[in-house]
Structures are given as structure tokens and as C-alpha cells.
Amino acid sequence: GLNLPRLDAEELRELEPAITGTAALLSPETAIVDYGAVARQLAASLSAQGVEFALGTEVERITETTDHVHVSARDASWRARH
């Protein structure tokens, strides 16, 4: 199971001064992640490397060979090595 010690208000303030609360459970073995921020940073990093995003594009077909994947949409297609 998880080790979740209960923190009172003073312990909480000592651990994280920006938090206001009466109590909390400390979960040192797990993490809460802002997945939106992670996805935005990943997209920015990939875009900087030349990756193209086609948001809202409906994929009509995906074919795979031993060395690449081909993705087809109505008005576009992409090929990538793997």
C-alpha cells in the first residue's frame, strides 16, 4: 500500500508555504502532474524538431511496413520511419 502520513496545518505550511489548508495527506511516492502543461511542452519541443501536428484531422487509413508507417487522411498523408 501507499504510505500517506497525515499533515496538520502547521506541517503543511512548513512543507509548502503557498498552500493554505487545515490538513493534508502527504504522498511522497506518487505525483500529481499538470498533464496539460506537460502536453504543451512536449508539443513545443517536438514542433521545434520539425514534427507536424494535424489536430482535428480524421485518419482514414494506417499502413505499416517493416521500416515505416503511412498515415492517410482525406487531404493529406504522412510517412514516418520506425
Side-chain angles (χ1 to χ4, degrees):
L2 292 175
N3 176 25
L4 300 172
R6 186 180 189 280
L7 304 178
D8 63 24
E10 183 178 332
E11 293 169 319
L12 182 57
R13 272 191 306 279
E14 287 174 11
L15 184 64
E16 180 51 72
I19 293 177
T20 301
T22 57
L25 295 176
L26 177 62
S27 182
E29 299 169 9
T30 63
I32 297 174
V33 175
D34 180 344
Y35 291 105
V38 171
R40 287 187 295 277
Q41 183 59 50
L42 179 59
S45 296
L46 292 171
S47 291
Q49 296 176 49
V51 172
E52 178 183 344
F53 292 90
L55 302 177
T57 302
E58 183 177 341
V59 173
E60 295 180 341
R61 186 174 181 191
I62 299 174
T63 55
E64 184 176 2
T65 67
T66 57
D67 64 345
H68 76 272
V69 174
H70 188 257
V71 179
S72 300
R74 175 179 286 167
D75 299 321
S77 65
W78 302 269
R79 181 178 170 174
R81 291 186 320 263
H82 67 74

